[in-house]
CSV table of all heavy atoms in Angstrom, one decimal:
chain,number,residue,atom,x,y,z
A,37,ASP,N,199.9,49.3,135.3
A,37,ASP,CA,198.5,49.0,134.7
A,37,ASP,C,198.7,47.8,133.7
A,37,ASP,O,199.1,48.0,132.6
A,37,ASP,CB,198.1,50.3,133.9
A,37,ASP,CG,196.8,50.2,133.1
A,37,ASP,OD1,196.3,49.0,133.0
A,37,ASP,OD2,196.3,51.2,132.6
A,38,THR,N,198.4,46.6,134.2
A,38,THR,CA,198.6,45.4,133.4
A,38,THR,C,197.7,45.3,132.2
A,38,THR,O,198.0,44.7,131.2
A,38,THR,CB,198.6,44.1,134.3
A,38,THR,OG1,197.3,43.9,134.8
A,38,THR,CG2,199.6,44.2,135.4
A,39,GLY,N,196.5,45.9,132.4
A,39,GLY,CA,195.5,45.9,131.3
A,39,GLY,C,196.1,46.6,130.1
A,39,GLY,O,195.9,46.2,128.9
A,40,ALA,N,196.9,47.7,130.4
A,40,ALA,CA,197.5,48.5,129.3
A,40,ALA,C,198.5,47.7,128.5
A,40,ALA,O,198.7,47.9,127.3
A,40,ALA,CB,198.2,49.7,129.9
A,42,TYR,N,198.2,44.3,127.9
A,42,TYR,CA,197.5,43.5,127.0
A,42,TYR,C,196.9,44.4,125.8
A,42,TYR,O,196.9,44.0,124.7
A,42,TYR,CB,196.3,42.8,127.7
A,42,TYR,CG,196.9,41.7,128.6
A,42,TYR,CD1,197.1,41.9,129.9
A,42,TYR,CD2,197.2,40.4,128.1
A,42,TYR,CE1,197.6,41.0,130.8
A,42,TYR,CE2,197.7,39.4,128.9
A,42,TYR,CZ,197.9,39.7,130.3
A,42,TYR,OH,198.4,38.7,131.1
A,43,ARG,N,196.5,45.6,126.2
A,43,ARG,CA,196.0,46.5,125.1
A,43,ARG,C,197.1,46.9,124.1
A,43,ARG,O,196.9,47.0,122.9
A,43,ARG,CB,195.5,47.8,125.8
A,43,ARG,CG,194.2,47.6,126.5
A,43,ARG,CD,193.7,48.9,127.3
A,43,ARG,NE,192.4,48.6,127.8
A,43,ARG,CZ,191.3,48.9,127.2
A,43,ARG,NH1,191.3,49.4,126.0
A,43,ARG,NH2,190.1,48.6,127.8
A,97,ARG,N,193.4,52.9,123.9
A,97,ARG,CA,192.1,53.1,124.5
A,97,ARG,C,191.0,53.2,123.5
A,97,ARG,O,189.9,53.5,123.8
A,97,ARG,CB,192.1,54.4,125.4
A,97,ARG,CG,193.2,54.5,126.4
A,97,ARG,CD,193.0,53.6,127.6
A,97,ARG,NE,194.2,53.4,128.4
A,97,ARG,CZ,194.4,52.5,129.3
A,97,ARG,NH1,193.4,51.6,129.5
A,97,ARG,NH2,195.5,52.4,129.9
A,105,VAL,N,191.1,43.1,122.5
A,105,VAL,CA,192.0,42.7,123.6
A,105,VAL,C,191.5,41.5,124.4
A,105,VAL,O,192.4,40.7,124.8
A,105,VAL,CB,192.3,44.0,124.5
A,105,VAL,CG1,191.1,44.5,125.3
A,105,VAL,CG2,193.5,43.7,125.5
A,106,PRO,N,190.2,41.3,124.6
A,106,PRO,CA,189.9,40.1,125.4
A,106,PRO,C,190.4,38.8,124.7
A,106,PRO,O,190.8,37.8,125.4
A,106,PRO,CB,188.3,40.1,125.4
A,106,PRO,CG,187.9,41.5,125.2
A,106,PRO,CD,189.0,42.1,124.3
A,109,ALA,N,194.1,38.6,125.3
A,109,ALA,CA,194.4,38.2,126.7
A,109,ALA,C,194.1,36.8,127.0
A,109,ALA,O,194.4,36.3,128.1
A,109,ALA,CB,193.6,39.1,127.6
A,115,ARG,N,200.0,35.7,127.6
A,115,ARG,CA,199.9,35.8,129.1
A,115,ARG,C,201.3,35.5,129.7
A,115,ARG,O,201.7,36.2,130.6
A,115,ARG,CB,198.8,34.9,129.7
A,115,ARG,CG,197.4,35.3,129.2
A,115,ARG,CD,196.4,34.8,130.2
A,115,ARG,NE,196.4,35.6,131.4
A,115,ARG,CZ,195.7,36.8,131.5
A,115,ARG,NH1,194.9,37.2,130.5
A,115,ARG,NH2,195.8,37.5,132.6
A,134,ASP,N,197.2,46.7,139.0
A,134,ASP,CA,195.8,46.3,138.8
A,134,ASP,C,195.7,45.4,137.6
A,134,ASP,O,196.4,45.5,136.7
A,134,ASP,CB,194.9,47.5,138.9
A,134,ASP,CG,194.9,48.3,137.6
A,134,ASP,OD1,195.8,48.1,136.7
A,134,ASP,OD2,193.9,49.0,137.4
A,135,GLY,N,194.7,44.5,137.7
A,135,GLY,CA,194.4,43.6,136.6
A,135,GLY,C,193.3,42.6,136.9
A,135,GLY,O,192.4,42.9,137.6
A,136,ARG,N,193.5,41.4,136.4
A,136,ARG,CA,192.5,40.3,136.7
A,136,ARG,C,193.1,39.1,137.5
A,136,ARG,O,192.4,38.4,138.1
A,136,ARG,CB,192.0,39.8,135.4
A,136,ARG,CG,191.4,40.8,134.4
A,136,ARG,CD,190.2,41.5,135.0
A,136,ARG,NE,189.5,42.3,134.0
A,136,ARG,CZ,189.9,43.5,133.6
A,136,ARG,NH1,191.0,44.1,134.1
A,136,ARG,NH2,189.2,44.2,132.7
A,137,ASP,N,194.5,39.0,137.3
A,137,ASP,CA,195.1,37.8,137.8
A,137,ASP,C,196.3,38.1,138.7
A,137,ASP,O,197.2,37.3,138.8
A,137,ASP,CB,195.6,36.9,136.7
A,137,ASP,CG,196.6,37.6,135.7
A,137,ASP,OD1,196.6,38.9,135.8
A,137,ASP,OD2,197.3,37.0,135.0
A,138,ILE,N,196.4,39.3,139.2
A,138,ILE,CA,197.6,39.7,140.0
A,138,ILE,C,197.8,38.9,141.3
A,138,ILE,O,198.8,38.3,141.5
A,138,ILE,CB,197.6,41.2,140.3
A,138,ILE,CG1,197.3,42.0,139.0
A,138,ILE,CG2,198.9,41.6,140.9
A,138,ILE,CD1,198.2,41.8,137.8
A,187,ARG,N,181.9,41.7,129.0
A,187,ARG,CA,183.4,41.8,129.4
A,187,ARG,C,183.6,40.9,130.6
A,187,ARG,O,184.6,40.2,130.7
A,187,ARG,CB,183.8,43.2,129.7
A,187,ARG,CG,183.8,44.1,128.4
A,187,ARG,CD,184.3,45.5,128.7
A,187,ARG,NE,185.7,45.5,129.0
A,187,ARG,CZ,186.4,46.6,129.3
A,187,ARG,NH1,185.7,47.8,129.4
A,187,ARG,NH2,187.7,46.6,129.6
A,191,ASP,N,186.2,37.7,130.9
A,191,ASP,CA,187.2,37.6,131.9
A,191,ASP,C,187.0,36.3,132.8
A,191,ASP,O,188.0,35.7,133.1
A,191,ASP,CB,187.1,38.8,132.9
A,191,ASP,CG,187.7,40.1,132.2
A,191,ASP,OD1,188.5,39.9,131.3
A,191,ASP,OD2,187.3,41.2,132.6
A,194,ARG,N,187.3,32.7,130.7
A,194,ARG,CA,188.6,32.4,130.0
A,194,ARG,C,189.2,31.2,130.6
A,194,ARG,O,189.2,31.0,131.8
A,194,ARG,CB,189.5,33.7,130.2
A,194,ARG,CG,190.8,33.6,129.5
A,194,ARG,CD,191.5,34.9,129.6
A,194,ARG,NE,191.8,35.3,130.9
A,194,ARG,CZ,191.8,36.6,131.4
A,194,ARG,NH1,191.5,37.5,130.6
A,194,ARG,NH2,192.2,36.8,132.6
B,301,LIG,O1,191.5,46.6,132.5
B,301,LIG,P1,191.5,46.7,131.0
B,301,LIG,O2,190.2,46.9,130.4
B,301,LIG,O3,192.5,47.8,130.5
B,301,LIG,O4,192.0,45.3,130.4
B,301,LIG,C1,192.2,45.1,129.1
B,301,LIG,C2,192.0,43.6,128.8
B,301,LIG,O5,193.0,42.8,129.3
B,301,LIG,C3,190.7,43.0,129.3
B,301,LIG,O6,190.2,42.1,128.3
B,301,LIG,C4,191.1,42.1,130.5
B,301,LIG,C5,192.5,41.8,130.2
B,301,LIG,N1,193.4,41.7,131.3
B,301,LIG,C6,193.8,40.4,131.7
B,301,LIG,O7,193.4,39.4,131.2
B,301,LIG,N2,194.7,40.3,132.8
B,301,LIG,C7,195.2,41.4,133.4
B,301,LIG,N3,196.0,41.2,134.4
B,301,LIG,C8,194.8,42.7,133.0
B,301,LIG,C9,193.9,42.8,131.9
Side-chain angles (χ1 to χ4, degrees):
D37 175 351
T38 64
Y42 290 94
R43 286 174 177 273
R97 305 288 166 195
V105 69
R115 297 203 74 85
D134 76 345
R136 307 294 191 282
D137 59 341
I138 310 301
R187 291 182 74 181
D191 284 336
R194 183 172 64 214

